[in-house]
Amino acid sequence: MVTKSAYAPIFDLPKHKLTALFEAEPDRLGYLTFDAAGIHFDLSKTHLDRPMIAAFLALAGACDFDGHRKALFAGDIVNPTEGRPAEHPAERGVGKPESVERAKGYQARMRALIDAIEGSALGPIRHVLQVGIGGSALGPNLLVDALGRDADRYDVAVVSNVDGAALDEVFKKFDPTATLLAVASKTFTTTETMMNAESVVAWMQENGVEDPYGRVIALTAAPDKAMEWGVDETRILPFAESVGGRYSLWSSIGFGAAIGIGWDAYEELLEGAAEMDRHFMLTAPEQNIPLIAAFADRYYAVVRGSETRAVFAYDERLRLLPSYLQQLEMESNGKRVTIAGEALDIPSSPITWGGVGTDAQHAVFQLLHQGTHVLPVEFIASIEPGHGLDDGHHHALLASCFAQGAALMAGKGNEDPARAYPGDRPSTTLLVEQVDPRTLGALIAFYEHRTFCNAVLTGINPFDQFGVELGKQMAKAISTEGTGNFDASTQDLIARAFG
Ligand code: F6P
């Protein structure tokens, strides 16, 4: 069990200022910047230094990092509360051979269906509407938004919210007679997704599609349920139960992205992720980037008490990355008990939030520079722009990104306290050559492994999510029974809304 006392050697370390660390360590960039899978990682503006890394390496050893990592890639049970392995790396070709083979088989099936759709086997399809929520939407949506902008292919929309306004927006844009519905749900029971799927079928039917179910495909780990719901077996793209929802964009859940960006690009994405898998699996702890990044994460959360972690994409194409990371990090590591079921005495996941640069600078950066909270900030930028406009745009974007990290760290004195910047505020910068499928695959896999490392260093199970169940049960009770055994406030709200 990882208790606060395990962190004692790290608490005891002297707290140097970032600027002092740079002055004292001329080789700081040499040991705190890393390159892997097309991504440059600069952790030098965090408070990590050699003694701290040594203390964290000892902690990682005490937590059996190596054993946990081996278990992950071996396909062992790493999610004990649900008795499951976590085999998302197998989807990228890295993991237990049988699981890799199985994933390849499922991918071949997905490719064949995409080829058939491209060959008009399901009719004249121009639009793809993927309905799903959480992990069945956030990843595919990120990929389509980041990589599908210039693709002259299908229009892909990913709809998650049960609020009908979300579907309505797509209904206004898509031609029902040229739309394919992809129902994405690992369990094929999720209320929002099933309700949205039914509404899409009804919309098709009402608009002259004779056999709407002939235009439906299912992306699921529960093929039986999909068949019961009305999807023909030939149009079900299954995936393994051992792939968790928030790790499922690599499985058939990635269908919307694969058809939106094209199969070759989708394969590049998987290959980029595999490259990061190999880095994570094979690199010693001292050079292991997801692990070292997790050292910084744990330092701020546990030792400095930072309750949040902010991520700013200085690239419009990555504007959905912060919301994707919110599920990945908070659903994985927002836990209050250890893997053995004992109460944690250290903080688990910080709250992940963020936005896009430069917009966020004009909205929330005030707090980052001068607020009382000290929180780690992450910048992600691309050297190559994602547009053909004048170079000035990209130059201004990158200049702003780099300036923010420098300003947060350096600060600036002023005799007027309202105008003074305290500085010593940490940041990391991830710089990619370009936002292409390969690099994005590596980037997402990096975040997955970093989240895993954070869980190991906290002693929690990152692969279950029981916290989401209670609200679902209560919503069901309200929907089916109209009212229930609720508190007075909730009863009153129900009465006001439903009469
Ligand atoms: O409610 C949370 C959750 O279970 C997520 O973990 C998951 O990504 C999402 O719901 C959707 O689940 P499904 O793919 O089974 O519809």
Side-chain angles (χ1 to χ4, degrees), residues 292-340:
I292 309 256
F295 290 169
D297 294 340
R298 289 285 77 201
Y299 176 69
Y300 292 112
V302 179
V303 181
R304 294 284 183 117
S306 306
E307 292 191 332
T308 82
R309 172 179 121 70
V311 180
F312 298 102
Y314 271 70
D315 197 297
E316 194 68 18
R317 292 165 294 178
L318 298 179
R319 64 186 169 176
L320 299 183
L321 185 64
S323 7
Y324 173 80
L325 292 179
Q326 283 184 318
Q327 187 199 20
L328 176 64
E329 299 182 356
M330 292 162 70
E331 193 167 82
S332 297
N333 289 345
K335 310 283 163 70
R336 54 180 287 285
V337 295
T338 67
I339 206 154

Side-chain angles (χ1 to χ4, degrees), residues 132-136 184-190 193 239 245-246 248 253 327 331 465 468-469 472:
I133 199 162
S136 295
S185 176
K186 180 176 174 184
T187 54
F188 229 78
T189 56
T190 303
T193 302
F239 67 96
R246 57 192 166 277
S248 64
I253 291 292
Q327 187 199 20
E331 193 167 82
Q465 61 286 318
V468 300
E469 295 306 326
K472 288 186 196 174

Side-chain angles (χ1 to χ4, degrees), residues 22 25-34 42 44:
F22 269 91
E25 298 183 318
D27 66 336
R28 203 165 159 73
L29 287 184
Y31 79 95
L32 285 171
T33 64
F34 307 86
D42 186 340
S44 65

